[in-house]
Amino acid sequence: MRRFSLACALAAGLVVNAYAGSRIVEYPFISYSNTGILDIERVELTDTATIVRFDARYSPKHWIMLGNDVVLRADGKTYALRSARDVTPGEKLWMPESGQATFTLIFEPLPLSTEKFDFSEGDSENDWTLADILLSNDALSPRPLPAGLPENTLKDFVDGPLPLPSLTVGESTVNVHFLGDRPEFASKLSIIIDEAISGQKGAEMIFDNEGNAVVKFTQYGPASIQIIDREYYMPYADFHIMPGETLDCYLDGTISGFKTKLGRNTAGIPRDRFVMHNGKLSNFDRMISQMDLDKDYSAWLENGEKKMYRLDRESYMKELKSGYFASLDSIKNANLPEMEKEIQKIALQDMILEAVAHHKDLMKYQYLSTTGRWDEEFSYDSIPATLTDEDFKDVTTWFDVSDPRLLLHGSNNGLAMTDWNVYGVKGDLSKSLYKLSEIRKKANNAVLTKGDVDEIRSLSNPFFAQVADSLYAEMNRKIAQLDSSVKPETIPDVPVEQLFDAIVAPYKGKVVVVDLWNTWCGPCRRAIKQIEPLKDAELAGEDIVWIYIADESSDHFQYLEMIPNIKGIHYKLNREQISEISDRFKVDGIPYYILIDRDGNAKGRPDIRDHSKYVKEIKALL
């Protein structure tokens, strides 16, 4: 019976008059939130108390803590906490294996006529806040469009040809408007610019008290923009922009409230909320927002349903070709707008290019996703298919590999995965992209030379030389701003198979914790943030040595900015060096931990990613 009543409450935002002098609301709509950990299952208003039952979701065997200053606020008044059940404010609440816990807080009584209220843990930025918790039938979902959105911002999609990417340089401006009554919830938003030519980058986005921000950046060719909640990666906007364009982007502030509702059986955020802008590509973005996500014409290649990882070279290419043309026919015969057909075709072709250029990586993913053996030691030698130059040449005859519309897939596009011009493709678009991707990697690692930049000037389109010049200038500007005293340790000059032992050898007699990480790894950064306070608390002392090992995939400048705030000894290795360590300890992903006891015995310990074990296992070695 409870399951039936809950389903009704979710469907209708049900408000129940249980008895005279009380109101009960199950799963109220939460308009704004700065956390995805807390949701509200039920609010009961009586003449004597307000009873709020919370659903907390967090990593199993990790703890959360509710502050001592929790209150409710409504209509300018504050209502104090009286008592709590199944939680003690100020003390750790350990999450069970399910990662879900329920507790109840009892507050002073809100007036029975209250329409909305706030829950607040405190006034600091990281204190949990749920705002505009609605207690009326206005809580129905989906939500109406936010106030302040200009008319015709969300026009009807008009079918037509795909826009052609513009290979030009321009100074672009995005005026961002956070719509809603609570602009303070914009403070944790970040902007990510993904340029097909020069990769991903961030830009400064500071909101004023009215919820407005202006973002300016130099744009190199086609780009897409995401505005996300940087802690929960929840999208607020996702759209495309032309070089040199100025546009206004409008954000639905109530998207923040969806963080609390991640565990509910709801339809999620309407995708058209991600494309509320007045840019030149708004029609294209509206088409993307209305696409049926279940119609993925390359899914057969990604999900491994044909088990292509078992095939030899000839069979692999035969299956790839037949799958491509069958999917192409399906797209042509589908009841879709012509623009959507074109973007589906481009997406399929991009996937085919990746399936050839990076076939070993794709087959590895196919195998692991199909079998679920993610912890299994895997060797690329186990994949029978090793493609030849003839196979690369063959795929260039299936479709136009020089089509610039392939750049609509952003920086991770198949055109840049190899130099397709080597295999007979006309023009030098692919060659330019491939060379530029190498230049970008060198710039990120502060090893780009003037000679590297001059080499790209021989290509036909001067646009790519402009990008290379910009990357070179930006690298030198960052180098000039660096603190020369901040740098990783010198790598021991020993054979690669002896490198790990040489790194840890000076610390024999102590417990050594080796952390494999990278700057781009979100879980790594979150784990480091959680562990850092332990070094001055439960794990304080000179008998523990902390060694952090990253590799050259980490952005050089971001790496040097981060390591002064991570207490320990830092190394940055090249691909061969990190591969040797990964193979030796069967590293299945990062973060990855290796513990070395006082006698120098080293063992990979992925199990202590569970931080309830982290302190215990390290202390056991002391």
mmCIF file of all heavy atoms in Angstrom, residues 262-278:
data_model
loop_
_atom_site.group_PDB
_atom_site.id
_atom_site.type_symbol
_atom_site.label_atom_id
_atom_site.label_comp_id
_atom_site.label_asym_id
_atom_site.label_seq_id
_atom_site.Cartn_x
_atom_site.Cartn_y
_atom_site.Cartn_z
ATOM 1 N N LEU A 262 17.530 13.043 -7.271
ATOM 2 C CA LEU A 262 18.167 12.056 -8.139
ATOM 3 C C LEU A 262 17.671 10.633 -7.860
ATOM 4 O O LEU A 262 17.708 9.780 -8.733
ATOM 5 C CB LEU A 262 19.692 12.125 -7.970
ATOM 6 C CG LEU A 262 20.345 13.420 -8.474
ATOM 7 C CD1 LEU A 262 21.834 13.428 -8.128
ATOM 8 C CD2 LEU A 262 20.162 13.582 -9.963
ATOM 9 N N GLY A 263 17.231 10.373 -6.631
ATOM 10 C CA GLY A 263 16.771 9.033 -6.300
ATOM 11 C C GLY A 263 15.288 8.805 -6.509
ATOM 12 O O GLY A 263 14.778 7.713 -6.288
ATOM 13 N N ARG A 264 14.560 9.837 -6.948
ATOM 14 C CA ARG A 264 13.123 9.699 -7.148
ATOM 15 C C ARG A 264 12.819 9.128 -8.531
ATOM 16 O O ARG A 264 13.612 9.238 -9.456
ATOM 17 C CB ARG A 264 12.438 11.063 -7.020
ATOM 18 C CG ARG A 264 12.607 11.727 -5.661
ATOM 19 C CD ARG A 264 11.762 12.986 -5.600
ATOM 20 N NE ARG A 264 12.030 13.777 -4.407
ATOM 21 C CZ ARG A 264 11.395 14.911 -4.113
ATOM 22 N NH1 ARG A 264 10.478 15.384 -4.944
ATOM 23 N NH2 ARG A 264 11.694 15.572 -3.012
ATOM 24 N N ASN A 265 11.667 8.584 -8.655
ATOM 25 C CA ASN A 265 11.230 8.024 -9.940
ATOM 26 C C ASN A 265 10.582 9.134 -10.762
ATOM 27 O O ASN A 265 9.376 9.177 -10.969
ATOM 28 C CB ASN A 265 10.236 6.882 -9.704
ATOM 29 C CG ASN A 265 9.820 6.215 -11.002
ATOM 30 O OD1 ASN A 265 10.542 6.268 -12.000
ATOM 31 N ND2 ASN A 265 8.662 5.588 -10.981
ATOM 32 N N THR A 266 11.424 10.086 -11.211
ATOM 33 C CA THR A 266 10.929 11.214 -11.994
ATOM 34 C C THR A 266 11.581 11.209 -13.361
ATOM 35 O O THR A 266 12.563 10.520 -13.603
ATOM 36 C CB THR A 266 11.230 12.546 -11.293
ATOM 37 O OG1 THR A 266 12.646 12.659 -11.117
ATOM 38 C CG2 THR A 266 10.546 12.626 -9.948
ATOM 39 N N ALA A 267 11.052 11.998 -14.252
ATOM 40 C CA ALA A 267 11.534 12.001 -15.633
ATOM 41 C C ALA A 267 12.841 12.762 -15.794
ATOM 42 O O ALA A 267 13.486 12.665 -16.825
ATOM 43 C CB ALA A 267 10.475 12.609 -16.548
ATOM 44 N N GLY A 268 13.264 13.516 -14.798
ATOM 45 C CA GLY A 268 14.501 14.260 -14.911
ATOM 46 C C GLY A 268 14.290 15.651 -15.466
ATOM 47 O O GLY A 268 13.168 16.119 -15.647
ATOM 48 N N ILE A 269 15.379 16.326 -15.743
ATOM 49 C CA ILE A 269 15.336 17.708 -16.192
ATOM 50 C C ILE A 269 14.930 17.758 -17.662
ATOM 51 O O ILE A 269 15.527 17.059 -18.486
ATOM 52 C CB ILE A 269 16.722 18.360 -16.031
ATOM 53 C CG1 ILE A 269 17.234 18.185 -14.603
ATOM 54 C CG2 ILE A 269 16.660 19.846 -16.369
ATOM 55 C CD1 ILE A 269 18.682 18.558 -14.425
ATOM 56 N N PRO A 270 13.949 18.563 -18.029
ATOM 57 C CA PRO A 270 13.605 18.698 -19.452
ATOM 58 C C PRO A 270 14.817 19.182 -20.242
ATOM 59 O O PRO A 270 15.447 20.164 -19.877
ATOM 60 C CB PRO A 270 12.481 19.751 -19.439
ATOM 61 C CG PRO A 270 11.942 19.729 -18.043
ATOM 62 C CD PRO A 270 13.086 19.375 -17.162
ATOM 63 N N ARG A 271 15.125 18.500 -21.333
ATOM 64 C CA ARG A 271 16.358 18.799 -22.060
ATOM 65 C C ARG A 271 16.319 20.159 -22.747
ATOM 66 O O ARG A 271 17.365 20.741 -23.033
ATOM 67 C CB ARG A 271 16.646 17.683 -23.066
ATOM 68 C CG ARG A 271 16.985 16.358 -22.378
ATOM 69 C CD ARG A 271 17.126 15.236 -23.382
ATOM 70 N NE ARG A 271 18.253 15.451 -24.273
ATOM 71 C CZ ARG A 271 18.284 15.043 -25.533
ATOM 72 N NH1 ARG A 271 17.235 14.439 -26.060
ATOM 73 N NH2 ARG A 271 19.346 15.245 -26.281
ATOM 74 N N ASP A 272 15.105 20.681 -23.018
ATOM 75 C CA ASP A 272 15.065 21.996 -23.659
ATOM 76 C C ASP A 272 15.550 23.100 -22.721
ATOM 77 O O ASP A 272 15.863 24.207 -23.155
ATOM 78 C CB ASP A 272 13.671 22.312 -24.196
ATOM 79 C CG ASP A 272 12.594 22.307 -23.124
ATOM 80 O OD1 ASP A 272 12.921 22.051 -21.944
ATOM 81 O OD2 ASP A 272 11.433 22.567 -23.460
ATOM 82 N N ARG A 273 15.639 22.812 -21.404
ATOM 83 C CA ARG A 273 16.162 23.804 -20.466
ATOM 84 C C ARG A 273 17.660 24.038 -20.676
ATOM 85 O O ARG A 273 18.216 24.996 -20.156
ATOM 86 C CB ARG A 273 15.926 23.353 -19.021
ATOM 87 C CG ARG A 273 14.467 23.096 -18.668
ATOM 88 C CD ARG A 273 13.626 24.361 -18.818
ATOM 89 N NE ARG A 273 12.214 24.107 -18.645
ATOM 90 C CZ ARG A 273 11.572 24.212 -17.495
ATOM 91 N NH1 ARG A 273 12.215 24.568 -16.408
ATOM 92 N NH2 ARG A 273 10.282 23.978 -17.436
ATOM 93 N N PHE A 274 18.332 23.121 -21.412
ATOM 94 C CA PHE A 274 19.764 23.257 -21.631
ATOM 95 C C PHE A 274 20.089 24.169 -22.817
ATOM 96 O O PHE A 274 21.256 24.449 -23.065
ATOM 97 C CB PHE A 274 20.403 21.886 -21.881
ATOM 98 C CG PHE A 274 20.167 20.879 -20.797
ATOM 99 C CD1 PHE A 274 20.240 19.525 -21.074
ATOM 100 C CD2 PHE A 274 19.877 21.271 -19.503
ATOM 101 C CE1 PHE A 274 20.026 18.581 -20.077
ATOM 102 C CE2 PHE A 274 19.656 20.333 -18.506
ATOM 103 C CZ PHE A 274 19.727 18.990 -18.793
ATOM 104 N N VAL A 275 19.089 24.585 -23.602
ATOM 105 C CA VAL A 275 19.368 25.315 -24.842
ATOM 106 C C VAL A 275 18.613 26.646 -24.908
ATOM 107 O O VAL A 275 18.200 27.081 -25.966
ATOM 108 C CB VAL A 275 19.036 24.465 -26.086
ATOM 109 C CG1 VAL A 275 19.951 23.285 -26.171
ATOM 110 C CG2 VAL A 275 17.575 24.002 -26.073
ATOM 111 N N MET A 276 18.456 27.285 -23.761
ATOM 112 C CA MET A 276 17.729 28.552 -23.735
ATOM 113 C C MET A 276 18.691 29.698 -24.049
ATOM 114 O O MET A 276 19.245 30.337 -23.159
ATOM 115 C CB MET A 276 17.055 28.737 -22.370
ATOM 116 C CG MET A 276 16.019 27.654 -22.074
ATOM 117 S SD MET A 276 14.964 27.986 -20.636
ATOM 118 C CE MET A 276 16.143 28.131 -19.322
ATOM 119 N N HIS A 277 18.943 29.915 -25.349
ATOM 120 C CA HIS A 277 19.842 30.983 -25.758
ATOM 121 C C HIS A 277 19.361 31.557 -27.081
ATOM 122 O O HIS A 277 18.496 30.988 -27.764
ATOM 123 C CB HIS A 277 21.282 30.469 -25.867
ATOM 124 C CG HIS A 277 21.527 29.530 -27.008
ATOM 125 N ND1 HIS A 277 21.955 29.943 -28.248
ATOM 126 C CD2 HIS A 277 21.419 28.174 -27.095
ATOM 127 C CE1 HIS A 277 22.104 28.899 -29.043
ATOM 128 N NE2 HIS A 277 21.781 27.812 -28.375
ATOM 129 N N ASN A 278 19.921 32.701 -27.466
ATOM 130 C CA ASN A 278 19.493 33.385 -28.690
ATOM 131 C C ASN A 278 20.595 33.413 -29.742
ATOM 132 O O ASN A 278 20.633 34.296 -30.590
ATOM 133 C CB ASN A 278 19.039 34.816 -28.375
ATOM 134 C CG ASN A 278 20.156 35.637 -27.724
ATOM 135 O OD1 ASN A 278 21.288 35.178 -27.576
ATOM 136 N ND2 ASN A 278 19.836 36.862 -27.321
#
